[in-house]
Amino acid sequence: MKRKNQKIIRVLFFFIFFMPCTGYTQNFPDYTLNIYDSAVTGYYFLTTRNLGSPVPGYVPMQLILNTGGEVVYYNPFPNGPSSVDFKVQPNGKISYYRGNKYFILDSTFTIIDSVSCTGYYTDSHDLQILNNNHYLLLGLQDTTMDLSAYNYFNHNGSPGSQTANVTADLIQELDSNKNVVFEWHSLSHFQFDDVDEFWLNSPNNVDWTHSNAIEMDTDGNILLSSRHFNEITKIDHLTGTIIWRLGGKENEFTFINDSLIFRGQHDIRRIANGNITLYDNGQYTNPHGARGVEYALDEVNKTATLVWSYTHDPSLVSYATGNNQRVSGSRKLINYGNRSFGNLCFAFVDSLNNPVAELLFSDSSATYRAFFYPSLPWNMNRPQLSCYQQGTDFFLATTTPFSSYLWSTGSTTSSIQVSVTGTYYVYVPHGEGFIKSEIFEVLNMTNPCSTTSINETEKYTGSILVYPNPSASFIAIHYPDSGEKNNVLNVTDITGKVIFKSILPVTGNFNLETKNFKNGIYFLRIGSLTGKFIKN
């Protein structure tokens, strides 16, 4: 892998938080984000899972990291089951799988809908929301088979059971009202012997097809990845007949420039240039290094030409999961899933396979899929922090109230006193999870409020700044220093009645006690400047 002239920025995070709203100690995974190209900006979406012995208190969760390595959103699942396939759909909605259904979330990370297979158990591997707002998803179907004639089991030629329970995949397409408009069953189109026998362990319970990705092709037909067949199958969307089969025992294609051929693959996708991409786990039969691959398919002459691949380490294989995402700008994110060794979660590379970033866990954590979005179809709306003075002390608070708080200091109060210089932030509830505020950097304890949010500088634009807002017992009022000695503050209620009036100091700061104010909305005026606050 090329690393010449690369500046590596290592961002290390380890969090141990006590969350009063959930009542448990929370250990976030210890990770390192190596940043090779700091000009690339965006967000990483992933879910965590632990492949070995988790650290005490470990909780699986959804994470959103920015390219600086910050956890800007998380959603923990302390009581199981965990979630997978956390991503942004083409229509801007967020989706993830948990407990036999896919949940649909809006831009505030609030669940607005769910979808599952009709009449069958919903497979956790994939959901695609189509341009017509239909849902394409996988389901599971169990059936009993006599497999005594197949001496494939236990890796020693043992026969299967006469009453084996066989799990097969199916495809359902649901319309926007959740009605089934297309259904396809692998039991009706595949032969049992299509399976790679290496996957056959138990002679009594057989995970047969293990399909793990579906994709609506550009011609309106369906692409299906079946891991235990080592096969990509193209299915006619109208008739359900098989159009072609790529890889596995029933392969119909000639592979060009690729002597390895994919094994145990995941994440079949048709990309903008007409080629297909997938994640080649490289495991089991003819094992080789896990890699991201791109093929140019000639579907008439049945050739598959390898036009791009990325292998991080030829000795690293992937036992399960993983994905290969083509990102705008010819960048690629290769997530290694259940890797055979090491701590690499994903590699993010440019068009020349030079590294953009790498995420590494220090323990055995991994993710099913990981996604990178250069931009989001909506704003994250991270809370802003404000600084105010009360007496000789300085405090930080959010500009709007929340039901719970978890500050970088470990405090869980609505505001915190600033006692030392440093970087401050708070996690607050946001939809299903918790979002991180913008960062507030305190550089000078003589006047901590002289510094503002790193990401957003507040400026006076004809308004009076009020913190905290809503208020309970006091507000800190900030206004420009006009140099006038007789600035007058008028506070009126919603009826226009003046309930407070005072000559202000020229310093630009004034603390107003509001504990005796009735709950409601109040308006402030200082000359031509106006403001508003809520007392509750």
Side-chain angles (χ1 to χ4, degrees), residues 133-158:
N133 289 319
H134 285 201
Y135 304 95
L136 192 65
L137 65 169
L138 293 166
L140 298 174
Q141 179 181 9
D142 287 341
T143 189
T144 301
M145 286 188 185
D146 181 359
L147 301 181
S148 58
Y150 297 96
N151 298 314
Y152 292 160
F153 295 88
N154 294 328
H155 301 284
N156 61 10
S158 298

Side-chain angles (χ1 to χ4, degrees), residues 415-430:
S415 62
I416 59 170
Q417 184 175 350
V418 179
S419 56
V420 295
T421 59
T423 299
Y424 293 85
Y425 55 86
V426 64
Y427 284 98
V428 295
H430 188 65

Side-chain angles (χ1 to χ4, degrees), residues 256-258 271 273 275-280 291-296 305-311 323-326 330-334 336 347-354:
I256 300 173
N257 298 334
D258 188 14
I271 59 175
N273 65 5
N275 295 343
I276 65 166
T277 61
L278 55 87
Y279 175 59
D280 176 11
R291 56 187 184 147
V293 295
E294 176 186 346
Y295 293 104
T305 302
L306 182 69
V307 296
W308 169 84
S309 68
Y310 176 83
T311 302
N323 67 303
N324 171 22
Q325 180 199 9
R326 182 58 50 90
S330 299
R331 298 187 180 99
K332 302 98 175 173
L333 188 149
I334 304 93
Y336 286 85
F348 189 26
V349 300
D350 65 15
S351 59
L352 300 177
N353 285 356
N354 294 313

Side-chain angles (χ1 to χ4, degrees), residues 244-280:
W244 49 249
R245 305 176 74 170
L246 172 68
K249 290 182 179 179
E250 300 300 316
N251 173 54
E252 301 173 20
F253 284 72
T254 299
F255 284 85
I256 300 173
N257 298 334
D258 188 14
S259 61
L260 298 177
I261 316 301
F262 54 84
R263 296 288 186 272
Q265 80 292 331
H266 287 72
D267 205 39
I268 174 64
R269 304 296 167 208
R270 180 77 73 171
I271 59 175
N273 65 5
N275 295 343
I276 65 166
T277 61
L278 55 87
Y279 175 59
D280 176 11

